Amino acid sequence: MKKIIFHIGTNKTGTTTLQDSFAKSRARLESSGILYPDLSRYTHHTQLIFSVLEDEEYTGAFGRNTPEGVQASKEISERLWSKLEEQVAQSACHTLVLSTEYAFGMRPQAWERMSARLAAFGDELHLVGYFRSPASHFNSSQQQVLKYGHTIESPCKPIPYKGKIQKLKARAGAQSIRVNLFDRKSLKGGDIIEDFVGQIEDICGTKLPEIDHMNDNESVSAEAVRLLYAFNKRAFPNSRRPGNPTSKVLLGCIKEAEARIEGLQRPKLRARIKQTIDAVNMDEAIWLRDEMRIVFPDFDFNADAKAPDAFETDVGKRHLRPEDVFEGLNGDTLLHLQAEVLKTLFDKVFEIRGQAGKRIPQARKEGVTPTISHLTEMYFPNRKKAGVIWENYRRMFQKTLMRYGAALPDMADLSAESIADILSFVMFEMIKVIRKSNAA
């Protein structure tokens, strides 16, 4: 190999899409002299870095939360390095392309070790990274957090662009470090894949074939963010569980439900959140503008410096909720989405149980409390000539609500928060049936 091109992220800049797309196009890339190695079940190459990290680095990822987990990650990493050696030795390609968004955050000593190991595979190391504006990054990252958890991060923490880029320049041993703006208007063709392909072509002087585009990490509506927050708060009260199968079932149902609803809005940060983020990142943005010629198009260089203090004073120690961060959470649309998600889950359960199109038994009348009747009318109102399917929705909803037990509040105690928790319980009960069927 003559060249190594190391895509270093950063996160929330289309990295998963890029990795999946390059993995799918691996054979075509090799025909053009580009090796995108197949090292594991993942399409990224993150596990390679575990051999060069300090033991206390990235202890929250990939099982590295115990000494045994750290050691296991190193052993896996060494196996992948051996596999990489084999693939490079067997390849006639002139350029090796690797990708992991975790590389950008490595400590200087880790970068020195990484550079030394990569030197065995090529004469030139080129780093390519993309940076998203602080506000856009926060918006996207918190949506991703809420897909699998319920703890929203503070907007008062700056992103250390300057320190990390300076570290790369000093310790990575790269022939070039290409720092690019992740913004549709700045990317070649408005697309991360096309832009990264252009970077490779420029470095290698080689025309690449067309790359298959794989979409991942799709955004959800503002209402879906609120639904997910309530669900994960009930299902996983103590920790975030990225990629867990329960949330994946729900996310799939949300996607189906959203396709049936018009007018859904994507989450947009509240003005005070945007001001706070821009204020705490002011020094970083000025350095990027003046030293790297990167200007975030949505950044307010006149943001109120007092915004972060005012925000923290108002919020205090309480946990942030979606409505604190995002605007556009419409109550009526949220109710519509909740009902559509429930219908989607019920349909799947009816199919599993062989009840699709068949009338299911009614709930016991003595168990249908005023609260249950009220919630049923909210989400599945009684209709004349409603038909079997609609009546089954009502019956399934009531029967599941009865399992909520004594904790079901009285009518006078119902609130938006308690209703969200009750619906999350119903959804969780349906997902258990679906997951059990999937595992069978």
mmCIF file of all heavy atoms in Angstrom, residues 375-399:
data_model
loop_
_atom_site.group_PDB
_atom_site.id
_atom_site.type_symbol
_atom_site.label_atom_id
_atom_site.label_comp_id
_atom_site.label_asym_id
_atom_site.label_seq_id
_atom_site.Cartn_x
_atom_site.Cartn_y
_atom_site.Cartn_z
ATOM 1 N N LEU A 375 -59.361 6.918 28.805
ATOM 2 C CA LEU A 375 -58.195 6.768 27.929
ATOM 3 C C LEU A 375 -58.582 6.064 26.630
ATOM 4 O O LEU A 375 -58.062 6.406 25.556
ATOM 5 C CB LEU A 375 -57.100 5.985 28.652
ATOM 6 C CG LEU A 375 -56.428 6.708 29.828
ATOM 7 C CD1 LEU A 375 -55.482 5.765 30.568
ATOM 8 C CD2 LEU A 375 -55.665 7.940 29.334
ATOM 9 N N THR A 376 -59.498 5.118 26.726
ATOM 10 C CA THR A 376 -59.946 4.426 25.514
ATOM 11 C C THR A 376 -60.625 5.399 24.559
ATOM 12 O O THR A 376 -60.398 5.366 23.338
ATOM 13 C CB THR A 376 -60.912 3.284 25.870
ATOM 14 O OG1 THR A 376 -60.278 2.384 26.779
ATOM 15 C CG2 THR A 376 -61.329 2.512 24.616
ATOM 16 N N GLU A 377 -61.451 6.292 25.105
ATOM 17 C CA GLU A 377 -62.124 7.268 24.259
ATOM 18 C C GLU A 377 -61.145 8.293 23.687
ATOM 19 O O GLU A 377 -61.373 8.849 22.614
ATOM 20 C CB GLU A 377 -63.227 7.985 25.047
ATOM 21 C CG GLU A 377 -64.412 7.093 25.379
ATOM 22 C CD GLU A 377 -64.981 6.415 24.134
ATOM 23 O OE1 GLU A 377 -65.236 7.122 23.139
ATOM 24 O OE2 GLU A 377 -65.157 5.181 24.155
ATOM 25 N N MET A 378 -60.046 8.537 24.416
ATOM 26 C CA MET A 378 -59.032 9.461 23.907
ATOM 27 C C MET A 378 -58.347 8.902 22.667
ATOM 28 O O MET A 378 -58.148 9.616 21.671
ATOM 29 C CB MET A 378 -57.966 9.734 24.986
ATOM 30 C CG MET A 378 -58.318 10.785 26.016
ATOM 31 S SD MET A 378 -56.932 11.073 27.171
ATOM 32 C CE MET A 378 -55.670 11.741 26.068
ATOM 33 N N TYR A 379 -57.987 7.633 22.725
ATOM 34 C CA TYR A 379 -57.161 7.052 21.670
ATOM 35 C C TYR A 379 -57.932 6.193 20.676
ATOM 36 O O TYR A 379 -57.557 6.102 19.505
ATOM 37 C CB TYR A 379 -56.010 6.254 22.309
ATOM 38 C CG TYR A 379 -55.011 7.164 22.967
ATOM 39 C CD1 TYR A 379 -55.088 7.468 24.323
ATOM 40 C CD2 TYR A 379 -54.010 7.772 22.215
ATOM 41 C CE1 TYR A 379 -54.196 8.341 24.924
ATOM 42 C CE2 TYR A 379 -53.112 8.656 22.804
ATOM 43 C CZ TYR A 379 -53.206 8.934 24.149
ATOM 44 O OH TYR A 379 -52.317 9.813 24.740
ATOM 45 N N PHE A 380 -58.994 5.562 21.136
ATOM 46 C CA PHE A 380 -59.801 4.721 20.252
ATOM 47 C C PHE A 380 -61.282 4.967 20.536
ATOM 48 O O PHE A 380 -61.980 4.123 21.096
ATOM 49 C CB PHE A 380 -59.452 3.233 20.468
ATOM 50 C CG PHE A 380 -58.005 2.920 20.217
ATOM 51 C CD1 PHE A 380 -57.132 2.745 21.277
ATOM 52 C CD2 PHE A 380 -57.521 2.823 18.920
ATOM 53 C CE1 PHE A 380 -55.789 2.469 21.050
ATOM 54 C CE2 PHE A 380 -56.178 2.543 18.684
ATOM 55 C CZ PHE A 380 -55.313 2.368 19.754
ATOM 56 N N PRO A 381 -61.774 6.168 20.186
ATOM 57 C CA PRO A 381 -63.160 6.528 20.502
ATOM 58 C C PRO A 381 -64.163 5.574 19.881
ATOM 59 O O PRO A 381 -63.944 5.017 18.802
ATOM 60 C CB PRO A 381 -63.291 7.943 19.925
ATOM 61 C CG PRO A 381 -62.198 8.064 18.920
ATOM 62 C CD PRO A 381 -61.078 7.225 19.426
ATOM 63 N N ASN A 382 -65.267 5.392 20.583
ATOM 64 C CA ASN A 382 -66.318 4.492 20.111
ATOM 65 C C ASN A 382 -66.918 5.028 18.813
ATOM 66 O O ASN A 382 -67.239 6.204 18.699
ATOM 67 C CB ASN A 382 -67.404 4.366 21.186
ATOM 68 C CG ASN A 382 -68.316 3.189 20.922
ATOM 69 O OD1 ASN A 382 -68.020 2.336 20.088
ATOM 70 N ND2 ASN A 382 -69.432 3.134 21.622
ATOM 71 N N ARG A 383 -67.060 4.173 17.844
ATOM 72 C CA ARG A 383 -67.586 4.580 16.548
ATOM 73 C C ARG A 383 -68.740 3.672 16.161
ATOM 74 O O ARG A 383 -68.695 2.468 16.393
ATOM 75 C CB ARG A 383 -66.503 4.473 15.462
ATOM 76 C CG ARG A 383 -65.315 5.386 15.613
ATOM 77 C CD ARG A 383 -64.298 5.087 14.506
ATOM 78 N NE ARG A 383 -63.160 5.974 14.535
ATOM 79 C CZ ARG A 383 -62.104 5.849 13.728
ATOM 80 N NH1 ARG A 383 -62.087 4.856 12.839
ATOM 81 N NH2 ARG A 383 -61.092 6.684 13.804
ATOM 82 N N LYS A 384 -69.729 4.268 15.542
ATOM 83 C CA LYS A 384 -70.817 3.457 14.996
ATOM 84 C C LYS A 384 -70.300 2.719 13.763
ATOM 85 O O LYS A 384 -69.602 3.297 12.929
ATOM 86 C CB LYS A 384 -72.003 4.344 14.613
ATOM 87 C CG LYS A 384 -72.718 4.966 15.802
ATOM 88 C CD LYS A 384 -73.922 5.786 15.346
ATOM 89 C CE LYS A 384 -74.654 6.386 16.545
ATOM 90 N NZ LYS A 384 -75.823 7.192 16.097
ATOM 91 N N LYS A 385 -70.625 1.468 13.685
ATOM 92 C CA LYS A 385 -70.191 0.634 12.563
ATOM 93 C C LYS A 385 -68.667 0.696 12.390
ATOM 94 O O LYS A 385 -68.143 0.848 11.275
ATOM 95 C CB LYS A 385 -70.885 1.071 11.269
ATOM 96 C CG LYS A 385 -72.399 0.966 11.315
ATOM 97 C CD LYS A 385 -73.016 1.410 9.998
ATOM 98 C CE LYS A 385 -74.544 1.323 10.054
ATOM 99 N NZ LYS A 385 -75.155 1.783 8.789
ATOM 100 N N ALA A 386 -67.978 0.613 13.530
ATOM 101 C CA ALA A 386 -66.523 0.743 13.501
ATOM 102 C C ALA A 386 -65.844 -0.440 12.839
ATOM 103 O O ALA A 386 -64.760 -0.321 12.277
ATOM 104 C CB ALA A 386 -65.996 0.909 14.926
ATOM 105 N N GLY A 387 -66.451 -1.596 12.924
ATOM 106 C CA GLY A 387 -65.837 -2.770 12.333
ATOM 107 C C GLY A 387 -64.999 -3.540 13.336
ATOM 108 O O GLY A 387 -64.678 -3.056 14.427
ATOM 109 N N VAL A 388 -64.636 -4.749 12.955
ATOM 110 C CA VAL A 388 -63.919 -5.648 13.863
ATOM 111 C C VAL A 388 -62.552 -5.093 14.252
ATOM 112 O O VAL A 388 -62.163 -5.144 15.418
ATOM 113 C CB VAL A 388 -63.757 -7.043 13.201
ATOM 114 C CG1 VAL A 388 -62.862 -7.947 14.045
ATOM 115 C CG2 VAL A 388 -65.115 -7.694 12.994
ATOM 116 N N ILE A 389 -61.809 -4.568 13.304
ATOM 117 C CA ILE A 389 -60.441 -4.127 13.586
ATOM 118 C C ILE A 389 -60.428 -3.025 14.634
ATOM 119 O O ILE A 389 -59.678 -3.081 15.611
ATOM 120 C CB ILE A 389 -59.754 -3.652 12.287
ATOM 121 C CG1 ILE A 389 -59.577 -4.827 11.331
ATOM 122 C CG2 ILE A 389 -58.404 -3.024 12.602
ATOM 123 C CD1 ILE A 389 -59.008 -4.453 9.975
ATOM 124 N N TRP A 390 -61.280 -2.008 14.443
ATOM 125 C CA TRP A 390 -61.317 -0.899 15.400
ATOM 126 C C TRP A 390 -61.786 -1.369 16.775
ATOM 127 O O TRP A 390 -61.221 -0.970 17.803
ATOM 128 C CB TRP A 390 -62.224 0.213 14.877
ATOM 129 C CG TRP A 390 -62.142 1.466 15.703
ATOM 130 C CD1 TRP A 390 -63.025 1.887 16.650
ATOM 131 C CD2 TRP A 390 -61.105 2.450 15.652
ATOM 132 N NE1 TRP A 390 -62.619 3.072 17.204
ATOM 133 C CE2 TRP A 390 -61.437 3.446 16.605
ATOM 134 C CE3 TRP A 390 -59.946 2.587 14.903
ATOM 135 C CZ2 TRP A 390 -60.631 4.561 16.820
ATOM 136 C CZ3 TRP A 390 -59.147 3.705 15.110
ATOM 137 C CH2 TRP A 390 -59.497 4.677 16.068
ATOM 138 N N GLU A 391 -62.770 -2.212 16.808
ATOM 139 C CA GLU A 391 -63.268 -2.733 18.084
ATOM 140 C C GLU A 391 -62.178 -3.556 18.773
ATOM 141 O O GLU A 391 -62.046 -3.518 20.002
ATOM 142 C CB GLU A 391 -64.517 -3.577 17.858
ATOM 143 C CG GLU A 391 -65.210 -4.019 19.141
ATOM 144 C CD GLU A 391 -65.647 -2.860 20.027
ATOM 145 O OE1 GLU A 391 -66.050 -1.798 19.497
ATOM 146 O OE2 GLU A 391 -65.561 -3.021 21.266
ATOM 147 N N ASN A 392 -61.409 -4.278 17.998
ATOM 148 C CA ASN A 392 -60.305 -5.041 18.587
ATOM 149 C C ASN A 392 -59.242 -4.141 19.195
ATOM 150 O O ASN A 392 -58.641 -4.468 20.220
ATOM 151 C CB ASN A 392 -59.670 -5.957 17.534
ATOM 152 C CG ASN A 392 -60.481 -7.212 17.305
ATOM 153 O OD1 ASN A 392 -61.430 -7.504 18.043
ATOM 154 N ND2 ASN A 392 -60.122 -7.977 16.286
ATOM 155 N N TYR A 393 -58.994 -2.999 18.556
ATOM 156 C CA TYR A 393 -58.052 -2.036 19.140
ATOM 157 C C TYR A 393 -58.540 -1.608 20.522
ATOM 158 O O TYR A 393 -57.776 -1.567 21.492
ATOM 159 C CB TYR A 393 -57.915 -0.791 18.252
ATOM 160 C CG TYR A 393 -57.211 -0.990 16.934
ATOM 161 C CD1 TYR A 393 -57.532 -0.189 15.836
ATOM 162 C CD2 TYR A 393 -56.234 -1.962 16.770
ATOM 163 C CE1 TYR A 393 -56.891 -0.347 14.614
ATOM 164 C CE2 TYR A 393 -55.581 -2.126 15.554
ATOM 165 C CZ TYR A 393 -55.920 -1.320 14.477
ATOM 166 O OH TYR A 393 -55.287 -1.471 13.272
ATOM 167 N N ARG A 394 -59.818 -1.266 20.608
ATOM 168 C CA ARG A 394 -60.398 -0.832 21.880
ATOM 169 C C ARG A 394 -60.277 -1.933 22.940
ATOM 170 O O ARG A 394 -59.876 -1.680 24.086
ATOM 171 C CB ARG A 394 -61.878 -0.459 21.685
ATOM 172 C CG ARG A 394 -62.110 0.836 20.925
ATOM 173 C CD ARG A 394 -63.590 1.046 20.585
ATOM 174 N NE ARG A 394 -64.452 0.980 21.758
ATOM 175 C CZ ARG A 394 -64.706 2.010 22.576
ATOM 176 N NH1 ARG A 394 -64.127 3.185 22.345
ATOM 177 N NH2 ARG A 394 -65.518 1.866 23.598
ATOM 178 N N ARG A 395 -60.603 -3.141 22.551
ATOM 179 C CA ARG A 395 -60.593 -4.246 23.511
ATOM 180 C C ARG A 395 -59.168 -4.580 23.965
ATOM 181 O O ARG A 395 -58.921 -4.809 25.152
ATOM 182 C CB ARG A 395 -61.267 -5.470 22.890
ATOM 183 C CG ARG A 395 -62.766 -5.255 22.642
ATOM 184 C CD ARG A 395 -63.436 -6.484 22.028
ATOM 185 N NE ARG A 395 -64.861 -6.254 21.842
ATOM 186 C CZ ARG A 395 -65.736 -7.188 21.470
ATOM 187 N NH1 ARG A 395 -65.302 -8.443 21.248
ATOM 188 N NH2 ARG A 395 -67.011 -6.902 21.326
ATOM 189 N N MET A 396 -58.232 -4.604 23.017
ATOM 190 C CA MET A 396 -56.842 -4.889 23.385
ATOM 191 C C MET A 396 -56.290 -3.800 24.299
ATOM 192 O O MET A 396 -55.584 -4.082 25.278
ATOM 193 C CB MET A 396 -55.975 -4.994 22.127
ATOM 194 C CG MET A 396 -54.494 -5.237 22.415
ATOM 195 S SD MET A 396 -54.176 -6.849 23.170
ATOM 196 C CE MET A 396 -54.053 -7.862 21.701
ATOM 197 N N PHE A 397 -56.618 -2.563 23.994
ATOM 198 C CA PHE A 397 -56.169 -1.432 24.807
ATOM 199 C C PHE A 397 -56.708 -1.557 26.227
ATOM 200 O O PHE A 397 -55.950 -1.438 27.204
ATOM 201 C CB PHE A 397 -56.641 -0.132 24.152
ATOM 202 C CG PHE A 397 -56.057 1.117 24.751
ATOM 203 C CD1 PHE A 397 -54.690 1.259 24.907
ATOM 204 C CD2 PHE A 397 -56.882 2.170 25.144
ATOM 205 C CE1 PHE A 397 -54.150 2.425 25.445
ATOM 206 C CE2 PHE A 397 -56.361 3.323 25.682
ATOM 207 C CZ PHE A 397 -54.988 3.461 25.829
ATOM 208 N N GLN A 398 -57.991 -1.821 26.367
ATOM 209 C CA GLN A 398 -58.597 -1.925 27.695
ATOM 210 C C GLN A 398 -58.027 -3.103 28.488
ATOM 211 O O GLN A 398 -57.712 -2.970 29.673
ATOM 212 C CB GLN A 398 -60.117 -2.056 27.574
ATOM 213 C CG GLN A 398 -60.805 -0.779 27.096
ATOM 214 C CD GLN A 398 -62.313 -0.915 27.043
ATOM 215 O OE1 GLN A 398 -62.850 -2.021 27.064
ATOM 216 N NE2 GLN A 398 -63.008 0.219 26.968
ATOM 217 N N LYS A 399 -57.891 -4.240 27.841
ATOM 218 C CA LYS A 399 -57.386 -5.427 28.534
ATOM 219 C C LYS A 399 -55.942 -5.224 28.999
ATOM 220 O O LYS A 399 -55.548 -5.684 30.080
ATOM 221 C CB LYS A 399 -57.487 -6.652 27.620
ATOM 222 C CG LYS A 399 -58.941 -7.060 27.336
ATOM 223 C CD LYS A 399 -59.042 -8.101 26.257
ATOM 224 C CE LYS A 399 -58.623 -9.459 26.780
ATOM 225 N NZ LYS A 399 -58.918 -10.515 25.758
#
